[in-house]
C-alpha cells in the first residue's frame, strides 16, 4: 500500500499550473493571479472628505461654537473652484474633493443651519480632521498583489479601484467527468434486476464546480472497452483533466483499468487509507486522468484528498488542501490497527469550552453516502487503536 502523502505527491507533481491567460477582471473571480500587479493609479485619486459636513479652516472653528458664512456646496462627483476664505465654509458630502483653502471638515451632526448662507458649528476640529489624503490607500507604483493571490471579491475590488481592467491569471481547469459501469441507470427508467441509480457523476460535477473548474459531463459509459477508449481520447484532446468513477479496483469488469492500462501511462495505487483505497492516476496524451473508485463515499474521499488539491494546483492556488484543525472527540473513535489511516466522516461543533468537537456520522460504510453527505469534516485517524475518549484528532474541513 502507498502512504497517502506519497500518493498526493505523485499526483501533484504531474499537475503543474496551467499556462497563464489574460482575461477581463469581471471573469477572473476565484482565479489566481499569475503575475504581480503594480498599481497604475493612486487611491483615492484626490484629497476628499470622509464625512458629510462643512469644509472649514480649522483655525476658524478653534473657538467653537462659531458662525460661518456658507459660500457653496460640493457633492461627491462634483468639484468647486471657490476657495474657502477666513470666516467661510463650504457644505460638502462624503467623497467630494476638498475645496482649496479648507483644511478640515466639521461633521454635519455638529452643525445647525441658521439660514441658507449661515451655519453654526458646535465643535472645534484639528487641521486634517475627516480629510482623506490622495493616495491614502494605494500609491501609484505600489506592489498591490503578488502572483499566487486568489482574486477574491475584495481583491477584485482593489484591482477595479486602480483601473486594472484585465488581469493575468491561471485559467479555470476544464475537467471532463464520467462514470462507468453497466449497472448504472441515469435516465429515470425503472431499475432492472442488478441495476442502481448513477449518483457519483452528480456529486463529482458539483465538487468540480465548487473547486472552480469548468465541468464537461461525459455521462455514463458502458463497461465497453472500445466505447470507453473513444470517450477518453476525445476528453484528453479537449480537456485539462479527466475524472472518472468506477472500474479501478480488482473486479473482472473493471474496464477503466483495462483501457487506461493500454492507452495511458497509469499508476494503479492501493492507498493506505480507508475508505478510498483503490485509486488510479496517469497521463493520457498529456492530460491527467484521475480514476476514482466507484463506491460513492470512496469517490468523495479520494476527490477531496487527492483530486481537488491537484486541480487547485493546476489553477495556480498555493493553498491546496482544505483547512485543517485539531478537535476533541468526546466519545473517542474506535478502530483496530490495519496499516491504514482511517478517514472518518464527522460533524463539528464548538463546545462550551470554545474547543471544536467532532462526532462521527452514524453510517461509515463506503456505500453509505446518505450519512456522509451531511458530514462537514473528515477526521484523520492514524493507524493504531483509535482516538481515546476526550482525545484530540486532526480534522479536514469540507465546508467553509
Ligand atoms: P467499481 O469501482 O466499479 O467496482 O464500483 C464499486 C461500487 O460502486 C459498486 O457497488 C458500484 O455499483 C458502485 N458505483 C460505481 N459507480 C457508481 C456511480 N457512478 N454511482 C453510484 N454508484 C456507483
Ligand atoms: Mg464498476
Amino acid at each position: 500500500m502507498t502512504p497517502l502523502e506519497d500518493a498526493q505527491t505523485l499526483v501533484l507533481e504531474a499537475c503543474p499550473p496551467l499556462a497563464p491567460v489574460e482575461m477581463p477582471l469581471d471573469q477572473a473571480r476565484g482565479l489566481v493571479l499569475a503575475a504581480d500587479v503594480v498599481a497604475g493609479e493612486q487611491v483615492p485619486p484626490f484629497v476628499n472628505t470622509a464625512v458629510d459636513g462643512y469644509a472649514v479652516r480649522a483655525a476658524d472653528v478653534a473657538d467653537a461654537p462659531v458662525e460661518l458664512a456658507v459660500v457653496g456646496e460640493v457633492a461627491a462627483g462634483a468639484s468647486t473652484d471657490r476657495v474657502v476664505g477666513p470666516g467661510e465654509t463650504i457644505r460638502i458630502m462624503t467623497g467630494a474633493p476638498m475645496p482649496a483653502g479648507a483644511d478640515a471638515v466639521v461633521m454635519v451632526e455638529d452643525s445647525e443651519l441658521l439660514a441658507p448662507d449661515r451655519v453654526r458649528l458646535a465643535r472645534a476640529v484639528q487641521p486634517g480632521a475627516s480629510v482623506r489624503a490622495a493616495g491614502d490607500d494605494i500609491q501609484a507604483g505600489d506592489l498591490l498583489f503578488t502572483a499566487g493571490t486568489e482574486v477574491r471579491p475584495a481583491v477584485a475590488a482593489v484591482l477595479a479601484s486602480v483601473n486594472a481592467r484585465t488581469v493575468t491569471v491561471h485559467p479555470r481547469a476544464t475537467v471532463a467527468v464520467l462514470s462507468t459501469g453497466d449497472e448504472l441507470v441515469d435516465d429515470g427508467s425503472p431499475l432492472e434486476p442488478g441495476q442502481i441509480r448513477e449518483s457519483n457523476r452528480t456529486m463529482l460535477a458539483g465538487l468540480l464546480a465548487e473547486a472552480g473548474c469548468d465541468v464537461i459531463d461525459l455521462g455514463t459509459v458502458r463497461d465497453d472497452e472500445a466505447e470507453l477508449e473513444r470517450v477518453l481520447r476525445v476528453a484528453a484532446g479537449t480537456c485539462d483533466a479527466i475524472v472518472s468513477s468506477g472500474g479501478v479496483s480488482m473486479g473482472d469488469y473493471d474496464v477503466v483499468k483495462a483501457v487506461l492500462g493500454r492507452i495511458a501511462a497509469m499508476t494503479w495505487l492501493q492507498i493506505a487509507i480507508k475508505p478510498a483505497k483503490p485509486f488510479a492516476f496517469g497521463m493520457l496524451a498529456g492530460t491527467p486522468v484521475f480514476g476514482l473508485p466507484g463506491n460513492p463515499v470512496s469517490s468523495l474521499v479520494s476527490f477531496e484528498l487527492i483530486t481537488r488539491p491537484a486541480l487547485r494546483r493546476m489553477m495556480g492556488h498555493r493553498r491546496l488542501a482544505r483547512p485543517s484543525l485539531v478537535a476533541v472527540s468526546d466519545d473517542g473513535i474506535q478502530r483496530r490497527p490495519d496499516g491504514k489511516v482511517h478517514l472518518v466522516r464527522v460533524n463539528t461543533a464548538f463546545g462550551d469550552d470554545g474547543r471544536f468537537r467532532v462526532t462521527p456520522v452514524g453510517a461509515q460504510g463506503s456505500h453509505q453516502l446518505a450519512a456522509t453527505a451531511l458530514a462537514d469534516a473528515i477526521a484523520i485517524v492514524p493507524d493504531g487503536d483509535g482516538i481515546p475518549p476526550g482525545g484530540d484528532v486532526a480534522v479536514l474541513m469540507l465546508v467553509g
Side-chain angles (χ1 to χ4, degrees), residues 149-243:
T149 302
E150 182 179 330
V151 184
R152 292 186 286 151
V155 170
V158 170
L159 292 168
S161 77
V162 296
N163 199 32
R165 303 181 65 83
T166 64
V167 284
T168 304
V169 291
H170 298 283
R172 286 180 197 290
T174 301
V175 182
V177 60
L178 62 138
S179 52
T180 64
D182 280 347
E183 74 277 31
L184 303 176
V185 174
D186 62 7
D187 63 359
S189 54
L191 296 179
E192 302 288 337
Q195 293 186 326
I196 61 166
R197 305 282 177 202
E198 198 290 326
S199 62
N200 288 350
R201 228 172 60 242
T202 300
M203 173 175 70
L204 292 170
L207 290 169
L208 286 165
E210 257 182 34
C213 303
D214 285 331
V215 183
I216 310 279
D217 188 344
L218 297 180
T220 299
V221 181
R222 301 285 116 216
D223 287 332
D224 174 285
E225 290 200 23
E227 175 63 2
L228 184 61
E229 174 170 348
R230 189 192 64 77
V231 171
L232 287 171
R233 285 195 188 279
V234 170
T238 51
C239 297
D240 299 312
I242 300 171
V243 173

Side-chain angles (χ1 to χ4, degrees), residues 54-327:
Y54 290 86
V56 298
R57 304 157 74 98
D60 282 356
V61 294
D63 299 324
V66 296
E67 288 182 20
L68 298 178
V70 181
V71 298
E73 182 181 273
V74 51
S79 65
T80 179
D81 296 331
R82 182 69 162 79
V83 177
V84 177
E88 294 180 344
T89 183
I90 286 180
R91 192 168 157 77
I92 193 168
M93 311 306 154
T94 303
M98 283 294 286
D103 60 2
V105 181
V106 176
M107 292 170 72
V108 71
E109 290 84 342
D110 296 322
S111 72
E112 182 191 348
L113 202 56
L114 305 172
D117 60 352
R118 194 108 197 120
V119 70
R120 173 198 289 271
L121 299 178
R123 195 183 293 271
V125 290
Q126 296 294 314
S130 300
V131 175
R132 305 190 285 210
D136 214 5
D137 187 11
I138 297 166
Q139 301 275 341
D142 277 357
L143 174 59
L144 274 184
F145 301 116
T146 55
T149 302
E150 182 179 330
V151 184
R152 292 186 286 151
V155 170
V158 170
L159 292 168
S161 77
V162 296
N163 199 32
R165 303 181 65 83
T166 64
V167 284
T168 304
V169 291
H170 298 283
R172 286 180 197 290
T174 301
V175 182
V177 60
L178 62 138
S179 52
T180 64
D182 280 347
E183 74 277 31
L184 303 176
V185 174
D186 62 7
D187 63 359
S189 54
L191 296 179
E192 302 288 337
Q195 293 186 326
I196 61 166
R197 305 282 177 202
E198 198 290 326
S199 62
N200 288 350
R201 228 172 60 242
T202 300
M203 173 175 70
L204 292 170
L207 290 169
L208 286 165
E210 257 182 34
C213 303
D214 285 331
V215 183
I216 310 279
D217 188 344
L218 297 180
T220 299
V221 181
R222 301 285 116 216
D223 287 332
D224 174 285
E225 290 200 23
E227 175 63 2
L228 184 61
E229 174 170 348
R230 189 192 64 77
V231 171
L232 287 171
R233 285 195 188 279
V234 170
T238 51
C239 297
D240 299 312
I242 300 171
V243 173
S244 77
S245 99
V248 295
S249 42
M250 301 300 193
D252 283 347
Y253 295 92
D254 286 338
V255 296
V256 176
K257 192 157 190 173
V259 172
L260 284 176
R262 186 157 45 73
I263 66 173
M266 299 298 296
T267 306
W268 307 98
L269 294 159
Q270 297 290 314
I271 305 175
I273 54 175
K274 181 185 176 184
K277 184 165 70 124
F279 189 84
F281 178 76
M283 302 298 285
L284 174 57
T287 302
V289 184
F290 301 85
L292 276 49
N295 273 314
V297 176
S298 304
S299 243
L300 171 68
V301 167
S302 44
F303 181 86
E304 285 293 343
L305 284 135
I306 300 179
T307 310
R308 186 176 182 276
L311 294 170
R312 282 178 65 84
R313 177 156 195 252
M314 291 174 76
M315 293 186 284
H317 286 280
R318 285 177 181 162
R319 212 197 63 210
L320 304 180
R322 295 272 199 185
S324 54
L325 49 88
V326 174

